[in-house]
Amino acid sequence: MIHTHLLLRKSMFLWTLLFIQTVVFAQNPLVRHQFSADPSAKVFGDRIYIYASHDIRCDHTQGRPDWFCMEDYHVFSSDNLIDWEDHGMALHQSNVPWADQESYSMWAPDGAEKNGKYYFYFPSKAKGHLERQNDPTVNGSAFNIGVAIGDNPGGPFIPESNPIPQVYGIDPNVFIDKDGQAYLYWSQHDFFVAKLKENMLELAEEPRVIENIPSKGLKEGPFLFERNGIYYLTYPRVENQTERIEYATANHPLGPFEYKGVIMDESPTGCWTNHQSVAQFKGQWYFFYHHNDFSPDFDKNRSIRADSLHFTVDGLIKKVTPTHRGIGVSNANRRIHPDRYSSKSAQGYTIEFLNEDGPFDGWKSVFTQNNSWVRYNKVDFGTKELEAVKIRVNVDAEGTLQVRSALENGKLIAEIPVKPSGSWVEIQESTSAKVIGLHDLVFVYKGSGNLELDWVTFL
């Protein structure tokens, strides 16, 4: 057994070296080189980590083509909410002894730290699940929940030989209270919770059902966090057509919980699932979730997002409106993508994929009317005045792209003449006003025809 674990650790280390990549984007979606879903955000030290599932396309998933298909996990982290590092493949279904190797059911995971070790919790269909999925003793579930252990929060993780006894279902979430007691939450028709033993591998008590949660519609994905002595249980639930995010509160991790309301409404574009987590990082609370940004016609391929989270004075959660802009402060001397906008004109502005055959290439802004505009918040110009602006555009008529500060009564920072190009070109122009510090920017098109804008940077 020791020899097997050494081989697993060596192989997973090699995978990590092969797959590690730094993702340099602050806007939504956070991950731009692969599909990602079900984000569970945890803070360890001075970095925030996201434990996410990994959607792929496959021909079948246990006889269900065009269904959710996931075979491995990646962990992403950042120390500034701008630069997200992919720590590589953290765990693959082929390395889980108890999992069905053909199920492609490595669904929503979570991570936790205890006594210097990092524990990765994940669901999967177990071997033999087809024979026992109708057994009432397992709540009608074909899924088990397992644990894998690593020395680093980003993995790789070595799985235990067997899943957690008495735990059947999906969407594990581990919460460690201030007294050090760890709790495991999961879903299967209802929400379940139980204390974990000190070893983080076994339940310390019989599972109990969490009561007082609306019974109508599918509910899944429990995630618990604490703020000012209030314990918030967040979860997706289908009230009408697709999943929305709701929450309940309690004075103890075991409840009793009281339903409070909706954090995020149903997807305006019809993405059927959502899955959330909440984390406080460097004094600010953030809400993590997913959407099918890179796959608008197939909502089984999703991408993780984040937006700021705010509370009322009495501790209620203010509703979160999904944005393209997301979180983090962009640096003026790095590429800014206005298609990840904060707001836009009602007419004359839209976004499109740069490459319809390669959605991970990102989007472009398309201005189609005179005076159409787009706003991009939180750009840091630093303390040194930048003297020029550079843009990448494709234009079919003469016009001007204005760059204005939204925080100084629309002060004109630069005015960039454009003319028909027939392809993508880069144009550099001196700034007409010097700015320092933090600014919201507004880009205004003056002209006829269409102007396509990829990125903007300051020099």
Side-chain angles (χ1 to χ4, degrees):
M1 181 62 68
I2 294 176
H3 180 66
T4 301
H5 272 229
L6 288 174
L7 288 176
L8 285 172
R9 187 178 295 275
K10 182 177 180 181
S11 64
M12 294 188 76
F13 174 73
L14 291 174
W15 284 337
T16 300
L17 291 179
L18 288 171
F19 284 93
I20 195 164
Q21 178 175 352
T22 297
V23 186
V24 186
F25 283 103
Q27 309 95 349
N28 285 327
L30 298 180
V31 176
R32 299 295 188 88
H33 66 293
Q34 65 181 46
F35 295 115
S36 55
D38 307 317
S40 181
K42 297 294 178 69
V43 177
F44 300 121
D46 62 353
R47 295 184 72 84
I48 187 167
Y49 290 79
I50 298 179
Y51 297 90
S53 55
H54 179 198
D55 291 338
I56 60 175
R57 294 299 295 264
C58 58
D59 294 332
H60 71 281
T61 305
Q62 292 291 322
R64 301 185 71 177
D66 295 327
W67 190 241
F68 298 104
C69 189
M70 298 108 117
E71 64 180 351
D72 63 10
Y73 295 104
H74 285 237
V75 181
F76 308 93
S77 75
S78 176
D79 63 357
N80 60 10
L81 303 176
I82 299 173
D83 304 312
W84 290 92
E85 180 180 342
D86 180 351
H87 292 272
M89 188 185 297
L91 181 66
H92 192 278
Q93 67 179 6
S94 63
N95 290 104
V96 180
W98 56 266
D100 183 342
Q101 306 298 309
E102 299 298 324
S103 67
Y104 293 87
S105 58
M106 307 289 275
W107 288 11
D110 195 14
E113 184 272 334
K114 185 84 169 182
N115 298 326
K117 289 290 184 180
Y118 295 89
Y119 297 85
F120 184 79
Y121 297 81
F122 63 96
S124 186
K125 290 182 179 178
K127 293 176 180 177
H129 69 85
L130 294 177
E131 288 74 31
R132 67 178 183 81
Q133 64 180 351
N134 294 320
D135 185 343
T137 64
V138 294
N139 303 309
S141 173
F143 281 80
N144 286 79
I145 290 175
V147 189
I149 306 173
D151 296 323
N152 299 291
F157 300 101
I158 306 302
E160 293 292 292
S161 298
N162 297 295
I164 304 174
Q166 298 178 277
V167 180
Y168 304 97
I170 59 173
D171 302 340
N173 166 237
V174 173
F175 171 78
I176 301 179
D177 208 358
K178 295 176 181 178
D179 61 2
Q181 177 63 57
Y183 299 82
L184 177 65
Y185 301 79
W186 69 95
S187 61
Q188 182 53 47
H189 307 305
D190 291 311
F191 294 145
F192 294 85
V193 61
K195 292 181 180 179
L196 284 170
K197 290 184 178 180
E198 184 69 17
N199 64 14
M200 301 292 283
L201 305 176
E202 304 169 272
L203 300 186
E205 60 183 1
E206 291 292 320
R208 65 186 77 188
V209 175
I210 297 177
E211 305 287 352
N212 302 325
I213 304 299
S215 59
K216 176 186 174 182
L218 172 70
K219 55 181 182 288
E220 56 184 355
F223 183 92
L224 189 106
F225 71 96
E226 181 271 337
R227 176 182 179 270
N228 296 338
I230 300 175
Y231 297 86
Y232 296 79
L233 180 67
T234 65
Y235 56 90
R237 186 177 70 88
V238 179
E239 171 68 20
N240 296 305
Q241 300 297 321
T242 64
E243 290 184 337
R244 69 185 190 186
I245 308 299
E246 303 176 346
Y247 76 108
T249 63
N251 295 321
H252 190 276
L254 295 176
F257 286 89
E258 180 182 355
Y259 177 80
K260 291 298 182 180
V262 177
I263 303 174
M264 179 173 284
D265 289 328
E266 295 184 6
S267 164
T269 61
C271 182
W272 193 83
T273 68
N274 203 346
H275 191 108
Q276 81 301 328
S277 63
V278 174
Q280 186 183 34
F281 185 62
K282 298 184 178 180
Q284 172 63 49
W285 288 92
Y286 296 99
F287 185 78
F288 296 83
Y289 59 105
H290 70 225
H291 190 59
N292 60 325
D293 294 89
F294 286 126
S295 181
D297 299 323
F298 184 66
D299 64 359
K300 308 302 183 292
N301 284 168
R302 301 151 299 175
S303 298
I304 59 177
R305 286 177 160 212
D307 279 295
S308 296
L309 186 71
H310 301 282
F311 299 83
T312 65
V313 292
D314 53 357
L316 298 178
I317 297 176
K318 294 183 179 181
K319 187 175 288 188
V320 177
T321 300
T323 72
H324 291 306
R325 176 61 184 89
I327 58 177
V329 177
S330 295
N331 294 327
N333 57 6
R334 296 169 71 171
R335 289 181 179 177
I336 299 164
H337 294 263
D339 53 80
R340 304 295 85 194
Y341 58 80
S342 304
S343 58
K344 65 180 183 66
S345 56
Q347 296 180 336
Y349 177 87
T350 188
I351 62 172
E352 298 175 1
F353 282 124
L354 279 166
N355 177 5
E356 288 292 340
D357 296 324
F360 293 132
D361 290 345
W363 295 266
K364 59 186 176 183
S365 295
V366 182
F367 299 83
T368 60
Q369 291 184 16
N370 186 45
N371 289 322
S372 53
W373 58 269
V374 63
R375 177 172 177 153
Y376 185 98
N377 289 353
K378 296 182 181 178
V379 178
D380 186 5
F381 284 80
T383 59
K384 180 181 178 181
E385 294 181 348
L386 302 174
E387 299 180 348
V389 59
K390 180 185 287 189
I391 61 174
R392 183 174 187 259
V393 291
N394 183 12
V395 188
D396 65 9
E398 290 191 5
T400 301
L401 183 67
Q402 294 182 344
V403 183
R404 294 182 174 273
S405 169
L407 300 184
E408 295 185 9
N409 298 318
K411 179 174 71 173
L412 185 65
I413 297 174
E415 199 163 30
I416 309 164
V418 296
K419 58 184 179 181
S421 57
S423 62
W424 289 101
V425 295
E426 295 181 11
I427 303 174
Q428 182 171 320
E429 186 73 24
S430 298
T431 55
S432 56
K434 310 303 181 185
V435 294
I436 60 173
L438 194 66
H439 289 259
D440 293 354
L441 298 181
V442 176
F443 303 90
V444 184
Y445 178 52
K446 300 285 187 176
S448 59
N450 295 340
L451 181 148
E452 298 179 345
L453 173 65
D454 184 3
W455 50 256
V456 179
T457 190
F458 293 83
L459 309 171

